[in-house]
Amino acid sequence: TGSVEATTTNLEKSVSGLPPASNVSVRVRALNERGASNPSPPVHCTTSDDLPGPPARTRAVPAGPSSVVVTWSPPTVRTGSILHYTLYTQSGGQGRQREVVAGGPGQPTWREVTALLPGVLI
């Protein structure tokens, strides 16, 4: 997307402000009083993942008298790989229940929640 040029007299340079989970290509040139060298061959790496954003377009649609289908989309901004999603339900004063849903590429982003009682929060 963009390029960054940084000058240093050290043999290493930290470049900050790069987006998470992004492919980065780095080349280095040497410079002296006569000018600049050709660039080194590119070195490729990927920046580390960051915390994911919230799932997008979350919806709950009735699927029967005591069940709903919950759907969602991956976070809008990509900050790394999603390992899984956790779906929470809570009924009245009772503790909340959770269900882990796989989150890798090609995995469905929906789940049918069944055996719900009146007053359940999703």
Side-chain angles (χ1 to χ4, degrees):
T1 51
S3 63
V4 175
E5 186 173 322
T7 303
T8 182
T9 56
N10 298 322
L11 296 178
E12 68 179 50
K13 177 69 177 174
S14 177
V15 179
S16 59
L18 300 171
S22 297
N23 294 322
V24 178
S25 175
V26 179
R27 298 185 307 168
V28 179
R29 289 182 176 214
L31 181 74
N32 67 15
E33 64 278 347
R34 303 233 9 215
S37 70
N38 288 328
S40 67
V43 176
H44 305 281
C45 66
T46 302
T47 57
S48 300
D49 288 357
D50 199 358
L51 292 174
R57 297 188 297 275
T58 303
R59 293 181 47 196
V61 178
S66 63
S67 64
V68 296
V69 173
V70 180
T71 62
W72 61 92
S73 296
T76 306
V77 177
R78 183 181 180 277
T79 58
S81 300
I82 301 293
L83 300 177
H84 68 266
Y85 298 94
T86 306
L87 180 67
Y88 295 94
T89 59
Q90 186 171 1
S91 179
Q94 298 177 2
R96 67 181 185 184
Q97 297 178 344
R98 70 184 188 118
E99 183 174 350
V100 175
V101 181
Q107 295 292 323
T109 53
W110 67 274
R111 183 61 50 136
E112 183 171 0
V113 182
T114 60
L116 297 174
L117 301 173
V120 170
L121 302 174
I122 297 179

